[in-house]
Structures are given as C-alpha cells and as structure tokens.
Amino acid sequence: WLHKLRFVDSLSQVMHSKQCDRSLLPETDAELQPVTADTIDEWRNIYNNVMRFVPCSSTLTIQASRDILQAGTAYFVIDVNGRLGIGAVSNNKIDAIAACVRGTGKKVVLALNKAVIGRNVCVDVSDINTAAMRLYNSLGFQFAGEVIRWYRYIKDIGVK
C-alpha cells in the first residue's frame, strides 16, 4: 500500500526590481477591461494556468483573487483580435502579468502601464525568468534593487 505524505516547505528567491519612466514607453492599441465578480474566477484560472510554467511564480488562491477583486486592480488585456492576457496593477507597480497568446507580452505590459499611477512603472521579476527579463530590458526597464520573496510549497511523497 502507498501512503501520500504532504510536507510543507519554503524557499526564497531573489527578485529584481526594475523600473522605467512611463513616458518612454510606446503607446499600444490594447485596452484594459476591469475584472468583475462575474469574471474573477476566469481571471484566476488564466493566472494559474499561465503561471504554472513561469519560474518563481505562485498559485493564486480563491481568497487572494477575492482580495484583488475588492481592490479593483485586476484587468483583462484585449485588442481587436481578442484577449491577449491579464494583469494586476497597484499604484506604480505591475503586480502580475500573464500573456495568454504567445508573443503578446509586450502589448500586455504596455496596456497595464495605462493603469499605473506616477512617473515610473515598476515590476519585480526573477532573474531566472529569462523571457520576462528580456521583455522588460527591451522596453527600457532598469535595475532598481533586489527583493527577497519567500514561497511555500507542498511536496507529496509516496512511502511504502
């Protein structure tokens, strides 16, 4: 017989804080569509489906998505071709970004920039997330510091 044991563990990851003067970013035809109570579950599902392949990302819980909904900071990013991605913005920071269509990350970042308040837009990104690092560097984001993030994870181990 096989027992499933669950161990909760944690790990840390150094994240790079990057920032860019918003006025230096190009315009985009992509628009923001605020998330509503009717669409928050869909937004969370997209987030979790995309982020499971992203290095040093985390799973969004139902409660965390409700908090984001209440804060009014979550968006779908759309253009004439349909939904490009999702994101969340608070003040001058893009807290979450997920492109639903390969190759649309730049448009998603530029659309989320429209919701940012202040002169600079900031993001935190893991240095092992090379695709995101290339994207932000190509848009002119500069290194602004390091942040250590702690993640909790659960390991299932089979024991005879």
Side-chain angles (χ1 to χ4, degrees):
W1 47 271
L2 189 64
H3 293 284
K4 285 286 196 178
L5 300 178
R6 294 175 61 135
F7 292 95
V8 176
D9 206 346
S10 61
L11 59 92
S12 67
Q13 173 63 43
V14 175
M15 306 291 282
H16 287 207
S17 289
K18 299 179 84 60
Q19 69 179 12
C20 183
D21 183 326
R22 294 179 60 220
S23 68
L24 300 177
L25 294 174
E27 293 293 321
T28 180
D29 62 344
E31 295 292 331
L32 297 177
Q33 182 181 57
V35 171
T36 66
D38 293 333
T39 60
I40 189 63
D41 290 336
E42 182 181 4
W43 190 91
R44 185 184 68 255
N45 288 336
I46 292 169
Y47 178 94
N48 288 335
N49 285 333
V50 172
M51 291 300 186
R52 67 185 169 149
F53 299 109
V54 176
C56 298
S57 65
S58 60
T59 301
L60 190 66
T61 64
I62 292 171
Q63 183 57 52
S65 64
R66 288 179 183 154
D67 294 343
I68 290 169
L69 175 64
Q70 185 173 9
T73 61
Y75 302 94
F76 291 102
V77 178
I78 57 172
D79 73 0
V80 295
N81 296 313
R83 186 173 295 154
L84 304 178
I86 63 166
V89 176
S90 59
N91 297 318
N92 70 330
K93 188 172 184 182
I94 297 175
D95 295 315
I97 177 173
C100 298
V101 179
R102 187 171 177 82
T104 61
K106 180 177 180 178
K107 270 189 157 184
V108 174
V109 170
L110 296 175
L112 290 169
N113 181 50
K114 296 176 183 182
V116 170
I117 299 169
R119 179 179 177 177
N120 292 322
V121 56
C122 303
V123 296
D124 291 340
V125 61
S126 169
D127 61 351
I128 65 172
N129 187 347
T130 55
M133 292 291 282
R134 277 193 311 272
L135 171 63
Y136 295 125
N137 291 341
S138 74
L139 287 169
F141 282 75
Q142 301 293 316
F143 179 80
E146 291 182 346
V147 177
I148 295 179
R149 291 249 176 93
W150 286 90
Y151 295 90
R152 189 182 91 188
Y153 65 96
I154 298 172
K155 298 186 282 189
D156 286 335
I157 300 176
V159 178
K160 285 190 176 187

